[in-house]
Structure formats: C-alpha cells, structure tokens
Amino acid sequence: MDFLTKEEKKRLCLSPQTLEGLRITVYSFVALTRKLLQLPGVHAILSEKFTQDPLEQYFSRQRASGGGNDNPTVAEFTNNTLSLQVSSDASKIIHKSQRGTNTRSKRNISDVDLLNSAELPKKRRYRSTEI
C-alpha cells in the first residue's frame, strides 16, 4: 500500500468506535467458546449459529405492528406481543393443516375462515350386508 497517501490510508481505517466494538465481540466470542468447550459432550463450536437475527426480526415485527408510533407504552407493547403470538400460532396451525398437499391445492391464509363455526357434514355410514 505504498502507493496510497497518508490521508488515503487514514480513510481506509476503521473508526475507533468500530474497532472497540470489534474487540469486544472477538473477546466475548473467545471467552464464550472456552466456556462452552468445557461442558461435557461439547467438542466443537459452530460460530455461524451465533446470530441475533430472530431477535431483530421480532423487534421489526413489533415496530411494524405499532404503525407510526415510535414510542409505544408498556400496554401497547404487550398488546402487540399478544397479537404477534396469536398470528404466529394461527399460521402454524394453517401450515400444519397443509402438510402433504401439493402446492396447487394449498389455500392462502386469507381463504381460511377461522371464525366459521358451522358444523361439518357427518360421514355416511355403510352397513355391511351379510350373505
């Protein structure tokens, strides 16, 4: 990198805040790995399994359910949490009911009438005829 000026080299460096965050992450990961490897039966650590994506997805759904409100109250946050749980449970039920069907016969969630309480038709009984 001898062809770069001092100013260009300075712009290529990470900020002090970024470097500090990177140091904290590396030291924490090393310490956690050492502790985990001391547990019985643990022989390897897959670093790709350490992720905060599910947490980020959860708070993304919380923000989306709040609409334009950036500062929800405790009651609003709790209500959003319950709504997210109910919608998650409903989608799991619908997903389970569609297992084993081909993709053409799958119905959209909006096609399912969850509030319909009409009785289903009874199965017709066939009597065996004895000869």
Side-chain angles (χ1 to χ4, degrees):
M1 290 195 166
D2 294 335
F3 56 90
L4 296 175
T5 66
K6 278 189 168 187
E7 189 61 35
E8 289 172 327
K9 286 181 183 179
K10 189 176 182 180
R11 280 187 275 152
L12 292 175
C13 290
L14 299 174
S15 70
Q17 296 87 354
T18 302
L19 284 173
E20 181 64 20
L22 192 56
R23 280 188 198 103
I24 291 171
T25 301
V26 170
Y27 287 133
S28 300
F29 180 77
V30 169
L32 180 61
T33 301
R34 286 183 179 151
K35 280 198 173 278
L36 289 174
L37 288 173
Q38 291 174 356
L39 296 174
V42 177
H43 305 292
I45 303 294
L46 298 176
S47 62
E48 65 189 28
K49 299 299 181 184
F50 289 89
T51 178
Q52 64 185 40
D53 288 347
L55 186 64
E56 289 177 5
Q57 290 170 356
Y58 173 76
F59 282 105
S60 173
R61 288 192 300 269
Q62 273 286 353
R63 283 190 297 276
S65 64
N69 186 2
D70 290 338
N71 298 310
T73 64
V74 172
E76 292 169 336
F77 188 86
T78 304
N79 187 37
N80 291 345
T81 300
L82 291 173
S83 297
L84 291 170
Q85 182 65 42
V86 168
S87 66
S88 173
D89 290 346
S91 67
K92 287 177 187 175
I93 291 169
I94 291 167
H95 178 71
K96 283 182 182 178
S97 70
Q98 292 177 345
R99 279 191 195 153
T101 60
N102 64 25
T103 55
R104 292 181 189 204
S105 68
K106 283 188 180 179
R107 300 188 311 174
N108 292 331
I109 292 176
S110 61
D111 295 339
V112 179
D113 186 6
L114 297 175
L115 301 177
N116 187 353
S117 61
E119 287 188 29
L120 295 173
K122 293 186 178 183
K123 186 176 176 181
R124 186 174 175 201
R125 289 187 178 176
Y126 292 98
R127 294 186 181 196
S128 62
T129 56
E130 294 181 23
I131 299 180

